[in-house]
Amino acid sequence: MTPPLFGLVMAGGRSRRMGHDKATLRYRGMPHAEWTAQLLAPYCERVFFSCRADQTIGDPHLVIRDREADQGPMGGLLAAHEAHPNVAWFAVACDLPNLDDAGVRALTAARSPDHLATMYVSLEEQPEPLCAVYEPTIFAELIAAFAAGQRCPRRVLANLGDRVRGVTPTDPRLLDNANTPQDAARHGSAP
């Protein structure tokens, strides 16, 4: 049986290069974290925001807070799994301004519950951990890696070989992110 799919908007980063919270950047007339949640909603049974303890994003009933500070995306993924351990998580960074319905639809259509994860891969064939579907079966691997000090989900995915499924986006700009004010301006962010 295929596990249900929940969405997770990854918004807990410190946004140091941006200088202010990337989740609040406005694209398409609204904060991008909220727009990303709306983008995932048609494909996921529920959508949550992954964030730090000191953040206020969206509906507070749909927030999964990091268990501890500064654990990076891995901490957010593990907190989500702890909250809902029997679901797959479609984790998407809040700073992907080019991600669109076609991109979300293509990845969910490619989802393979027989693999530990299904994720987009970059032109350099690197896994994109923050535009990926994590099946419940991957969390033993993530928990072990985290316990061993690994905080980078990209490295974990890269080391899983053919146990994960990579999907090449039809448009390579789909995975462009906005990390600096210049990036945000180039992608059309409004204050």
Side-chain angles (χ1 to χ4, degrees):
M1 186 166 146
T2 300
L5 182 62
F6 283 14
L8 188 65
V9 179
M10 305 296 289
R14 294 270 178 207
S15 304
R16 288 181 180 96
R17 289 177 283 172
M18 184 62 70
H20 58 87
D21 194 343
K22 290 190 283 187
T24 63
L25 289 174
R26 298 180 73 80
Y27 298 98
R28 301 172 186 89
M30 66 190 323
H32 201 250
E34 293 178 30
W35 185 85
T36 303
Q38 289 182 11
L39 184 65
L40 293 175
Y43 303 95
C44 300
E45 290 187 24
R46 297 178 72 187
V47 178
F48 293 87
F49 297 95
S50 171
C51 60
R52 300 183 316 272
D54 64 332
Q55 284 179 295
T56 303
I57 296 174
D59 182 337
H61 297 99
L62 299 176
V63 169
I64 298 175
R65 300 216 180 270
D66 291 348
R67 295 177 293 168
E68 293 181 36
D70 299 320
Q71 294 183 330
M74 190 81 93
L77 289 166
L78 295 178
H81 176 67
E82 185 176 288
H84 300 280
N86 299 314
V87 304
W89 287 98
F90 190 160
V92 176
C94 70
D95 65 351
L96 298 177
N98 294 333
L99 187 64
D100 58 12
D101 183 70
V104 171
R105 184 175 351 110
L107 195 62
T108 55
R111 177 185 177 197
S112 173
D114 294 334
H115 287 85
L116 297 178
T118 304
M119 74 277 176
Y120 276 122
V121 293
S122 69
L123 291 175
E124 298 82 26
E125 297 187 23
Q126 291 295 309
E128 177 46 71
L130 299 184
C131 195
V133 175
Y134 293 84
E135 299 297 335
T137 51
I138 197 172
F139 283 92
E141 300 280 348
L142 295 177
I143 290 166
F146 190 80
Q150 180 57 258
R151 299 295 186 260
C152 180
R154 174 174 283 128
R155 287 191 186 134
V156 176
L157 291 170
N159 289 333
L160 291 172
D162 62 2
R163 297 170 60 199
V164 295
R165 181 175 191 195
V167 177
T168 304
T170 55
D171 181 351
R173 296 173 300 160
L174 191 74
L175 301 176
D176 287 353
N177 58 10
N179 286 318
T180 66
Q182 296 78 16
D183 293 341
R186 186 174 57 252
H187 290 292
S189 173

